[in-house]
Amino acid sequence: MSASSAFNEEKMGSSSVGEAEYAYDPVSGKIFSSDYNRHDDLKEMLDSNKDSLKLEAMKRIVAMIARGKNASDLFPAVVKNVACKNIEVKKLVYVYLVRYAEEQQDLALLSISTFQRGLKDPNQLIRASALRVLSSIRVTIIVPIMMLAIKEAASDMSPYVRKTAAHAIPKLYSLDPEQKDQLIEVIEKLLADKTTLVAGSVVMAFEEVCPERIDLIHKNYRKLCNLLIDVEEWGQVVIINMLTRYARTQFLNPNLNESLLEDGGSGDKTFYGSDEDEDDDEKENKEKAEAAALAKRKPYVMDPDHRLLLRNTKPLLQSRNAAVVMAVAQLYFHLAPKAEVGVIAKALVRLLRSHSEVQFVVLQNVATMTIRRRGMFEPYLKSFYIRSTDPTLIKILKLEVLTNLANETNISTILREFQTYIKSMDKDFVAATIQAIGRCATNIGEVRDTCLNGLVQLLSNRDELVVAESVVVIKKLLQMQPEKHSDIIKHMAKLTDNIQVPMARASILWLIGEYCEHVPKIAPDVLRKMAKSFTYEEDIVKLQILNLAAKLYLTNSKQTKLLTQYVLNLAKYDQNYDIRDRARFIRQLIVPTEKSGALSKYAKKLFLALKPAPVLESPFKDRDHFQLGSLSHLLNAKAGGYQELPDWPEAAPDPSVRNVEVFTLLERVTTLTSVPEWTKCSSREKRKEKKVEKPFYSDSEGESGPTESADSETNSASASDSASDSEQSRSSSESEESDEGSESEEEKENKNKKKVVKKAVKESESEQSSEEENRKLEKKIKQQEKDSETVSDDEESDSESSQSTSEDSESEAEVKKKAPVSRTPPKPVKKEKKEMSLLDLDDFEPATSPQVTPISTLLSNSLVTDLEGLSLSDSVLAPSTITPSGTLKSYELLHRITGEGLSVEYCFGRQPFSPDANMVAVQLQFTNNSTSETKNLHMKDVKLQSGMRVKEFPEIELLPAGDTASAVMGIDFCDSTQAANLQLCTSTRKFFVSIQPPVGELMRPVFLTENEFKREQGQLMGMNELTEKLILDAKYRNEHAIVQRVTTAAHLSRVPCGSDNECSFTSLKPLA
Amino acid sequence: MIHSLFLINASGDIFLEKHWKSVVSRSVCDYFFEAQERATEPENVPPVIPTPHHYLISVLRHRIYFVAVIQSEVPPLFVIEFLHRVVDTFQDYFGVCTEAAIKDNVVVVYELLEEMLDNGFPLATESNILKELIKPPTILRTMVNTITGSTNVGEQLPTGQLSVVPWRRTGVKYTNNEAYFDVVEEIDAIIDKSGSTITAEIQGVIDACVKLTGMPDLTLSFMNPRLLDDVSFHPCVRFKRWEAERILSFIPPDGNFRLLSYHVSSQNLVAIPVYVKHNITFREGSSQGRFDLTLGPKQTMGKAVESVLVSSQLPRGVLNANLNPSQGAYTFDPVTKLLTWDVGKINPQKLPNLKGTMNLQAGASKPDENPTINIQFKIQQMAISGLKVNRLDMYGEKYKPFKGIKYMTKAGKFQVRT
């Protein structure tokens, strides 16, 4: 009772939870029995039937969790509320559950059924949240339930639920790695998802579960590249990092020539340090390497997919998210041709304006980049100037970058900056600056003396740390040319009286010992002083004293013999065993005794050998073998779960693996195989083989049939040859093959005059091959050509791969397709099969008129059906199809407002596009809503997906205000539902528009009689068949309605048939 | 990805912890405390600290360390950027991001963190979505909640995440439709001892406060877009449109957001609006130093330079300072040796001046470093780069919104070396 009254009091008194906690403490103090009591009243509140009490209790519990207090004994009381109506209570219960389920596994099971119910909820968000919590409960017993839930959610209608499923995958994997194989299946399925919402999450899951299964990415590569810009920012980071790794395994190194040159020259570092003649050597080496490299290699052509990745990531450099910018930067650094990497510098410099933690990470990466690609950041030198308000960490990193950027031209400005830095109050920073000056001096010979003088001046600095650091750096510099600088050595000898920093003292002693011949008078005196203070010195100094003594003994034994012996004696009894050992060792070496062996003869050689000058190099050197931007790179050590960045492959793996199947959009509706985009040419040939048998087509093609089939056989044979050829001989076999291909196609050309596409392909191929040959002769790379090459290369690779796979595609060549039925639930389809058999469109005589007949003149739906019933002579009716009565859906291309008065609508005319049978006719309707006239409406600079083609509409010269005009254009969508992006221009403005075809519009109907249809159908059983049952609304249960709905959805032709309850539709699936 | 998050205050207490995967003991923070001890200044704690089993990635904001614990490879910037986003969200929700505010709203904080990360991977970080999920606490709502027992958690589930414009919540309604844009430019500069500019650049942002009903589609164009050299956008901006036409076209989020940040191309000479005449000297052998500082306006296009604040870190040897400002007030902290002078507005007729002596420690030698002077100032109604917004148009909605554009120039990292 006391508890509940106390609670009431608390509830009145304080409003927010945090205070509630604190306000409540004294009360429990009053009872002071223990936590146990306090939890008692919480339990009571949780058991009450008032939501407000429950909420209050949950809030206090969550506050306890937040402060790290243990609230696990409340588990039973809390878990009871998992099905609470109040949404906030529910959420807080979830928070609690996820936190403690692992500790109280048995009790946690009580809540599972609630989530299982939630998984079936009609509301997608409830399904998602149920899955989220269910998968967060780390209880091994429920692994099968989770697996099931994930699998189900992965094929949920809602992308949000699918996203949640993707998130759940790594959770389950960490709980039970045994499930890996099953999870990979789910990942594979989700990778094929086309929504931006899912993409980031599934790639994340991929990275956590199976980053080694790079093969799963192939088919989704292009899609991921294209979706990238619309994915949420965190997903972008993950995808970009993954694609970097992917690209490293699949594409060739665009900088192969340069990197080989670099190797030949063995880096810039020695370049400056070495003498002139060495430089010459290197240049020769370079030239040799260059020649060798060029002799070996055939011209590099960038894979169009590689280019796609670079192109699609570039805009993300403008992201507000530093992680995204960094991800793109590392992608460019690792993948882009040298000439293009520069674009990232500006964006990275921009990040330096951000929070200091961001600066820290970015500077680390910039430091690594500047070693390999100095030129990139040189224009931004001033952005790395140091401000006194920067934290020391940042200062030192900026210093590193400045040092890396230093070269002959900017060194004077950099040194001037360094001069001001030396006066800084931050002594760590000053020490780092002195080191930096030393590095500049070693790298850039011209300023070595200036630097040395500057550093010597610092020796008189009041701050000992500065002096000590200078001594250490001077020592390193002097080693390069000691003979010139005996005065500096003398100066430093004097410092031994004052300077106390051990490292500096040791450095001075080493210098004097090493160059005792340059300072014969001073050296013994220094040793005398040191002998005096020997016992007080640090170990490192003692070792150098011994060293000095030994060297002096060898060069000037007359003066120093006694001193040396004294020092050695002192060392003999030193506390440190290192020093004792060293003393013993030196004594044996230098003091000749009877026992001493042959070594002592060589003592002088041993001690006074010429030592190579130390190389001062950046700590960031060679860090770029870690993927930039990664944790491992930052720590310079492999972090757990780090995926090595693979080396470029010697030869590019088959690019055709990335070719995507058409209509994957439908994958959930129709599981049947579809014709991959790249099989289109050859599969068409194959189809012709089949068609030969058909009497229907025989009139147009009967005679040519046999020859053709022979042709295509040779084609596929040559293709398989080339496929089996090794990479080195690839280019030659390619050209041979394409020659052959073009020959055979020429034959065909004579027979069928309408193969426009073919011609295009053939031309590009032969062009390509001749180009290839030219280049082989020249054996030179021209970077400028790259772009134009990429295009033709794309086509070439397409056609090539299509040929090589033509045999496989034989079965696929015949495809039945179902229209997207279950996508649009109310659409009524009943048991009928809509077949699109694969009959070649090219066989239809294209209409002679250049323009498509306007829609209005089309036969109305009912009329067509009537006509079909009459089964008129086929060829007349074949091209015309059922048009849903007046329901050609038009889509908006350009809105009146964005178009500044000009509005454009488009619809798919369902007419063959006469200039090119492979294109879909798109009817455009322009309306000028503005008050002024629009001139010169035309299209320009069409940017298309690879393979797509567009036939522009004729320019509309004038469109008066308020007037309407229409035009027809043709688009070859290449069987994909990717949007075609176009640029619509008027005399004054440009608009970006895109046309996305619904799947149904990519088909073209063919006309078959019932018997023919049956026969076709019979051939297409098995894999190509899909049966689905649908339950229809009452109002759709008549034939007419069904036919109408179906034909609205897709461009189909109905097969005339006798029986009442059966409707069949045909269409050619791939139009192109 | 992110395993756990610990919030640590300036005195080294862990006052909040949140785990997204298995619980990580808070003893992992000991490694952080070690690193903190080693660092002399709070901001010198390395952002990434490796420990035997975990990695700690931290950011310091508002004197609170946000320490994320991670276990395996993840881009550090990913975590850092996310932590900053968390801080921004707290600030957005509670007005301030202090220990007290977080403690007071611990449940909201927890609910937010729960929504922002799922299994350590960011889920909803867009402020508009979060606000739909969890309503920010206001005094009124807290009162109502206590009386009626209703909650801060949104009743309807977030639809924003599912829409094509995930940054904008749906069903926005205002009686007064207004859109305000602030063009704020900052000058970063390092001025030499002799008064010449070593480096100067202009960074600008356009912050927006848009309260418009429905789904407005805005376009904003500039008179001189060529000035913008490097830009980064809010995700709502249509990149292609910018590339082609240099027009910002976007469906704005609801409320406050940063539309654009930009860098003005370095080819343009940067006008430096103030100059400093200084004479800070220490004499050898004397325990006194002289301090004389005068500020004056320069290239301000007739606008007043306001809110001027001068600060300088004096050498360690300085014990105290006896200075005499001609206007404003100065303070000198003998512990941190930080001198600040709140000048206020610069009057071109009577230039502000601060003059006097500094006392050095007896017997200490002359400090060999000279302090740098940091200056802050503001100039209203002017963008120093000359950037001008041409017009702002709204499509997609019928009403006429109230539009406003404000310009301001501020000092960024403006330093004068002496």
Side-chain angles (χ1 to χ4, degrees), chain A residues 678-690:
Chain A
W678 34 271
T679 57
K680 59 185 180 241
C681 314
S682 54
S683 58
R684 191 174 300 135
E685 286 156 23
K686 290 290 177 183
R687 272 182 246 138
K688 273 177 219 134
E689 284 180 66
K690 294 274 188 249

Side-chain angles (χ1 to χ4, degrees), chain A residues 55 311 469 558 804:
Chain A
L55 183 59
R311 195 175 53 223
E469 202 65 41
K558 199 165 67 184
S804 63

